[in-house]
Amino acid sequence: MRRTAGVLVGLMLLATGACSSDTPEQNTEQACGAADDLTAALDDFRSTLTPDATVDEVRAARDDLSQAWQEFDSAASDVVADRSEELDQAWDGLQKAVDDVAGEATVSGAIDTLRDEWQGVKDAKDDVVADLDC
């Protein structure tokens, strides 16, 4: 879990630093749309690479690809930030639940709460992995 959080923090540090005011769902939708646009721009760039292409045509295709890349990079950074925040909140909840178990208490009295918090961390981690795969 710490490794996943560390990877996310590293990705966030590489991000443009722009904060998003959209919901996590909107950010994910925008990132997936930007990924589709990037795929199209990559295809367009590849189709430009013919023996009769001019330097200007290749540069224009590169500029279009650059714009698509920047939009995808920004959108993906927003998703990573959203998911990292969710993961941090889930992790904090689990840590608090463990800390709240009194020193002499048995775990069995807190087992349902601990399982719920564990599930929250697992779900948040799964969301990060799924979103990075879109």
Side-chain angles (χ1 to χ4, degrees), residues 29-48 61-77 132 134:
E29 184 178 312
Q30 289 171 357
C32 290
D36 291 343
D37 293 345
L38 180 57
T39 297
L42 283 164
D43 291 344
D44 290 346
F45 182 81
R46 175 69 173 94
S47 69
T48 304
R62 185 259 337 255
D63 292 345
D64 291 343
L65 179 57
S66 176
Q67 180 65 34
W69 168 256
Q70 290 171 13
E71 289 173 10
F72 172 74
D73 187 45
S74 177
S77 296
L132 293 177
C134 71

Side-chain angles (χ1 to χ4, degrees), residues 78-101:
D78 290 342
V79 171
V80 169
D82 292 337
R83 294 305 186 201
S84 179
E85 184 177 328
E86 289 174 15
L87 189 57
D88 287 344
Q89 289 172 356
W91 178 249
D92 291 344
L94 177 60
Q95 289 200 85
K96 182 178 181 327
V98 171
D99 290 344
D100 286 348
V101 176

Side-chain angles (χ1 to χ4, degrees), residues 93-115 117:
L94 177 60
Q95 289 200 85
K96 182 178 181 327
V98 171
D99 290 344
D100 286 348
V101 176
E104 296 298 319
T106 63
V107 173
S108 64
I111 198 96
D112 289 337
T113 299
L114 294 172
R115 284 182 179 159
E117 294 298 335

